[in-house]
Amino acid sequence: MENKLLLLVLALVIGGGFLAYGLQDSAEQQDQEVEVQDLPLEKVEEPKQEQGAMGTALDTMQPKERTPDVPAQVGPKHQLMGKVTSPAGDPLEGVSVTLFRYSYVAPPKTGRLRNNHEEIERETVQTNSAGRYLFKDLSDVQGPFFSMRIAKEGLSEVLKDAVGPGMIVDATLVKGRTLRARIVDAETNQPVGGVFCDLSMMAPGKTKHEYRRWRRQFTSRDDGTFEISGVPDAPLTAYFEHGEYQWLLLNPDNNFWASADMSQELVFKMKRGFALNGKVVDSRTGQPIQNCNVTMREYIIPTRREITGVFGKFRFKGLNAGRFEMVLSASGYTKQPMMLEVSEEALKGEKIFKMIPAGFASGVVLDPNGAPITGAEVFVAESVDIFRKVRGQIEARTDSDGLFTIANLDDGRDYRIAVAAEGFCTAVSTDFKAVSGEYFDGLIIKMSLGATLRGLIEDENGVPIKGVTVTIEQPPFREAWFPPGTGQGQKGTHSVISNSNGYWEFVGIWPGAYQLSMSHPEYVPLPPSKVLIEKYSDRIDQPMTLTRGLTIEGTVTDANGSPASGVVVTASIGRFRLRAVSTKTNTDGSYSLVQLMDNDYRVKAMGTGGIAAVQEEVPAGSNNIDFSLQPYGSIEGAVMAYQASTPIDRFRIRVRPLHDLPKTQNNQIDTNSRMAQRLMEINESYVDRTLVAPD
């Protein structure tokens, strides 16, 4: 079920994103006209190669070509830096570099172009005389989840995605063009004002953060003209929308280009859209249906919506030619999707649309003893492929006799009723099929107190342990999928504390696969375990035995023999540092590692002032395991360009310790094996840094 849901969500996201840049049908594009006066765009010259991030040439003539993924350049851990240059490679000073994050906002329910985000700005910096910028402190963020806007007056702005701390992101700004244009009626040549315009450019790079974008959104003037500066020298996607005209889309395949010579005005011609005059009536009585929602779907996103008046009539203007889905929905009637042919011949006269009355259902909600439950929340779950999806709201509450009635059930569709009440576990009815204009009655839903998961926690001597924190991760309700926001059926984490007799208990939980974990400051923690609850009537006992944890204690001193505070002391098992436990020394340099198994440990101490020699095979329960910090060592050198012998001012360097590595039969260290790579990287002496220095 979850895989099905994930595929459905991904399909919607991909479809919505595709539409956001202007969906088009290839046949429809052929009907659109673009007249470019005195500019032979069919002979556009091949653009010059631009230098993108990391000095990579971007082929802007082929924006759809995929390039192989390579890692982004790695910079200082909590910083983001880079260099901005001109096409000639000269540094650009005073460039504004803004780091921001796209934050989701609920898009409008209808609309051809759907902006479902807003920009949350983090910080803006300026490049220096060397063209470099630096975001100094990004220690509070994780991952490449930012976008970056790079802009300077007179140059074409660049947007880069998937940037974040630890990266070096370079950019090249090119001189922008000024585009002047006029939008006219394709038949009358009269200007069309108030046209929504969306111009954008996309060009790929070898990495995500090289992906260059540019976008402008605006509305044409009353005389149909617009003027926009800073347009990149690259193929553009242009989208024009007006309520009475067919939308016009030009993508890079149309070779729409902001060329170097923009002294002439471009003319875009828009065709008037088709008009649909409709009327919605009851299929049985022929009476008009008021307040019916009529939604036009050009592709999968609702783009037009009207509500019928007292005579059941509605009107759409500016429709594109083609076949589109239209959906009718009204209270008391079955939701009705249909395919609508949009053409001059198909839309002649008034179109009549007939709706089928919806079905109904009623039933009663009872407790385990057969008594009615008052005030239970009733939800409707409808069939969606292989699972049942709750419609997202409470549709009824049971009365004093436990009775409920549900309306607006689509004719011929399978349903089940889900109910929730305080003190009881969420429950569902049997499946049933709705029938137009008829009641499906006799639904009896008996609620359960839910399954019980409980247990007794003892130590190795059979003595009950008080104060153990027991935590379960509860799966989503599997009988019906409740969307987030309904307050029911969601995945969650719950905890209880064992009592003085060592007992703990979870009650009222629904069937599913649970994860169980336990912790106590004086005992060795157990790894999480899985528990499967199959029925509401299950009563599962999970006895557990915890082993009292041992300690390793000692002190840490600095190179002068003084107590060293704040030093991290870590104990782990084996060469792969398993079951690691860490602590910090206090003001007198002492430490205590707790919750240790009865095993030998590898103990190390590291601080800002130095590192101590690792102590191997330290038995748990040991005292006086002392450390003396020694200053860190260093390696110095220079990195020069091959043959040219000029300094390279930015490079990545790794220091990988070779001790404790496995050896081959010839007693040689094999640094290429997976085990060796892992051992080198987890060693406390491992260093991986990007260095920036002019020499």
Side-chain angles (χ1 to χ4, degrees):
M1 181 182 76
E2 293 178 351
N3 291 337
K4 273 279 189 178
L5 177 61
L6 179 60
L7 290 174
L8 179 61
V9 172
L10 286 174
L12 289 174
V13 170
I14 293 171
F18 188 35
L19 186 67
Y21 279 94
L23 290 168
Q24 80 279 3
D25 184 273
S26 58
E28 294 173 32
Q29 287 187 39
Q30 297 173 3
D31 294 334
Q32 311 297 336
E33 293 186 20
V34 182
E35 179 180 288
V36 184
Q37 296 182 347
D38 301 324
L39 284 178
L41 291 187
E42 68 276 9
K43 297 182 180 180
V44 174
E45 295 180 358
E46 190 80 3
K48 296 179 180 180
Q49 293 291 327
E50 298 175 3
Q51 292 296 314
M54 299 166 57
T56 303
L58 302 180
D59 184 2
T60 55
M61 280 299 290
Q62 298 180 2
K64 293 184 179 179
E65 182 180 347
R66 296 191 62 183
T67 52
D69 290 335
V70 299
Q73 275 189 292
V74 178
K77 186 175 182 180
H78 299 304
Q79 296 181 349
L80 171 63
M81 62 173 59
K83 185 177 182 179
V84 183
T85 59
S86 69
D90 300 324
L92 292 175
E93 184 178 4
V95 177
S96 176
V97 184
T98 301
L99 194 65
F100 65 93
R101 193 188 297 270
Y102 286 110
S103 177
Y104 174 81
V105 295
K109 292 184 178 180
T110 60
R112 287 167 169 168
L113 196 74
R114 297 164 64 85
N115 289 325
N116 59 350
H117 65 265
E118 61 182 1
E119 297 179 6
I120 307 299
E121 182 177 330
R122 164 75 182 222
E123 186 181 354
T124 298
V125 298
Q126 303 286 325
T127 56
N128 60 18
S129 58
R132 299 193 183 278
Y133 68 88
L134 172 64
F135 294 95
K136 295 182 179 179
D137 184 13
L138 301 177
S139 57
D140 59 324
V141 297
Q142 298 289 332
F145 305 127
F146 282 97
S147 292
M148 191 162 60
R149 178 179 290 104
I150 306 169
K152 184 176 177 63
E153 186 69 27
L155 300 178
S156 180
E157 176 184 289
V158 166
L159 291 173
K160 291 180 180 289
D161 292 320
V163 300
M167 285 187 179
I168 298 173
V169 183
D170 296 342
T172 298
L173 296 187
V174 299
K175 185 177 180 181
R177 318 296 186 189
T178 297
L179 189 152
R180 300 175 181 86
R182 182 162 49 96
I183 304 173
V184 300
D185 188 294
E187 296 182 0
T188 66
N189 281 325
Q190 293 299 308
V192 182
V195 177
F196 174 80
C197 309
D198 185 308
L199 300 182
S200 61
M201 180 276 292
M202 296 174 287
K206 288 185 177 180
T207 65
K208 287 185 178 180
H209 74 274
E210 289 185 52
Y211 197 82
R212 300 173 61 242
R213 295 187 295 115
W214 173 89
R215 194 174 194 184
R216 289 286 189 275
Q217 293 179 328
F218 52 92
T219 302
S220 66
R221 305 185 186 102
D222 292 340
D223 62 358
T225 63
F226 66 83
E227 180 177 311
I228 181 170
S229 60
V231 181
D233 184 14
L236 302 177
T237 297
Y239 172 72
F240 302 97
E241 177 184 340
H242 189 282
E244 297 185 0
Y245 288 82
Q246 300 184 43
W247 49 266
L248 174 63
L249 176 69
L250 301 171
N251 61 29
D253 293 338
N254 301 119
N255 219 1
F256 174 49
W257 193 283
S259 66
D261 180 13
M262 299 303 295
S263 59
Q264 298 294 324
E265 180 184 68
L266 298 180
V267 176
F268 298 95
K269 292 187 175 183
M270 296 187 70
K271 288 185 176 182
R272 279 201 171 270
F274 296 99
L276 167 62
N277 296 300
K279 183 178 181 180
V280 183
V281 300
D282 188 298
S283 63
R284 296 185 178 182
T285 65
Q287 294 298 310
I289 300 175
Q290 186 179 2
N291 294 326
C292 174
N293 280 285
V294 185
T295 303
M296 180 70 73
R297 295 179 183 271
E298 296 169 299
Y299 307 92
I300 65 172
I301 304 297
T303 54
R304 304 288 187 91
R305 176 171 293 167
E306 293 290 340
I307 300 177
T308 58
V310 292
F311 300 110
K313 295 187 176 183
F314 68 93
R315 176 178 171 83
F316 283 127
K317 298 188 298 182
L319 296 177
N320 279 54
R323 282 177 57 83
F324 305 107
E325 183 186 29
M326 190 171 72
V327 179
L328 308 178
S329 59
S331 180
Y333 290 88
T334 295
K335 182 183 291 185
Q336 187 170 332
M338 64 188 71
M339 295 304 296
L340 181 70
E341 183 74 32
V342 177
S343 66
E344 185 175 357
E345 180 67 26
L347 298 185
K348 281 185 178 179
E350 185 177 72
K351 307 291 290 185
I352 305 298
F353 301 94
K354 298 179 180 181
M355 294 194 72
I356 301 172
F360 305 86
S362 61
V364 62
V365 179
L366 306 174
D367 67 14
N369 298 318
I373 299 177
T374 303
E377 298 172 347
V378 182
F379 300 85
V380 175
E382 54 192 8
S383 60
V384 179
D385 293 329
I386 62 172
F387 68 100
R388 297 293 184 267
K389 177 183 178 297
V390 172
R391 295 204 292 209
Q393 61 184 2
I394 300 171
E395 305 206 19
R397 294 181 187 273
T398 56
D399 61 17
S400 58
D401 296 321
L403 300 174
F404 66 88
T405 299
I406 295 294
N408 297 321
L409 302 178
D410 293 345
D411 177 54
R413 190 164 198 170
D414 292 328
Y415 290 93
R416 66 177 55 159
I417 304 300
V419 292
E422 188 174 354
F424 298 93
C425 195
T426 306
V428 296
S429 70
T430 56
D431 290 354
F432 65 93
K433 188 180 294 292
V435 179
S436 171
E438 296 183 9
Y439 268 96
F440 187 94
D441 55 9
L443 286 171
I444 301 175
I445 305 173
K446 182 171 287 190
M447 301 197 74
S448 167
L449 296 177
T452 298
L453 178 60
R454 62 191 180 186
L456 169 64
I457 303 177
E458 298 176 326
D459 63 16
E460 60 268 36
N461 298 317
V463 178
I465 305 174
K466 177 184 177 181
V468 178
T469 300
V470 185
T471 303
I472 58 169
E473 289 187 9
Q474 186 174 31
F477 186 65
R478 68 187 184 188
E479 303 295 334
W481 183 74
F482 285 84
T486 55
Q488 299 291 335
Q490 303 300 307
K491 179 179 180 179
T493 301
H494 309 283
S495 297
V496 294
I497 306 295
S498 63
N499 61 19
S500 58
N501 295 318
Y503 283 103
W504 56 272
E505 184 178 61
F506 292 96
V507 297
I509 56 179
W510 53 66
Y514 289 74
Q515 181 168 285
L516 178 67
S517 58
M518 302 182 182
S519 65
H520 189 285
E522 298 178 6
Y523 291 84
V524 178
L526 296 177
S529 59
K530 296 289 186 180
V531 179
L532 179 63
I533 297 178
E534 298 180 344
K535 303 185 294 294
Y536 288 96
S537 58
D538 281 352
R539 300 292 183 266
I540 297 179
D541 289 306
Q542 285 288 112
M544 293 286 183
T545 300
L546 297 183
T547 303
R548 185 172 290 276
L550 300 176
T551 64
I552 294 178
E553 298 178 345
T555 60
V556 180
T557 57
D558 61 21
N560 299 319
S562 301
S565 63
V567 175
V568 177
V569 183
T570 303
S572 57
I573 299 175
R575 61 162 52 177
F576 287 105
R577 325 298 192 250
L578 303 176
R579 298 186 71 94
V581 177
S582 297
T583 188
K584 286 187 177 182
T585 57
N586 56 24
T587 55
D588 61 2
S590 62
Y591 71 90
S592 178
L593 294 162
V594 299
Q595 295 182 292
L596 301 179
M597 300 174 59
D598 186 7
N599 209 318
D600 290 342
Y601 282 81
R602 182 180 192 273
V603 187
K604 65 179 183 180
M606 300 176 64
T608 56
I611 184 171
V614 175
Q615 299 195 40
E616 305 279 359
E617 299 183 358
V618 178
S622 299
N623 298 319
N624 302 320
I625 306 300
D626 302 330
F627 293 91
S628 177
L629 299 182
Q630 299 299 318
Y632 288 108
S634 65
I635 298 176
E636 297 181 4
V639 179
M640 314 295 286
Y642 181 68
Q643 291 184 337
S645 297
T646 55
I648 295 177
D649 64 356
R650 179 182 298 157
F651 54 88
R652 183 178 183 180
I653 186 167
R654 288 193 181 101
V655 179
R656 306 169 76 101
L658 299 181
H659 56 269
D660 293 337
L661 297 189
K663 295 184 178 181
T664 64
Q665 293 180 350
N666 298 327
N667 204 32
Q668 300 294 318
I669 295 177
D670 179 13
T671 58
N672 295 319
S673 70
R674 182 177 299 179
M675 179 183 293
Q677 294 288 323
R678 174 61 177 159
L679 286 172
M680 286 189 287
E681 290 182 4
I682 64 175
N683 191 285
E684 54 272 0
S685 299
Y686 174 77
V687 177
D688 185 347
R689 294 177 184 166
T690 295
L691 302 182
V692 179
D695 59 349

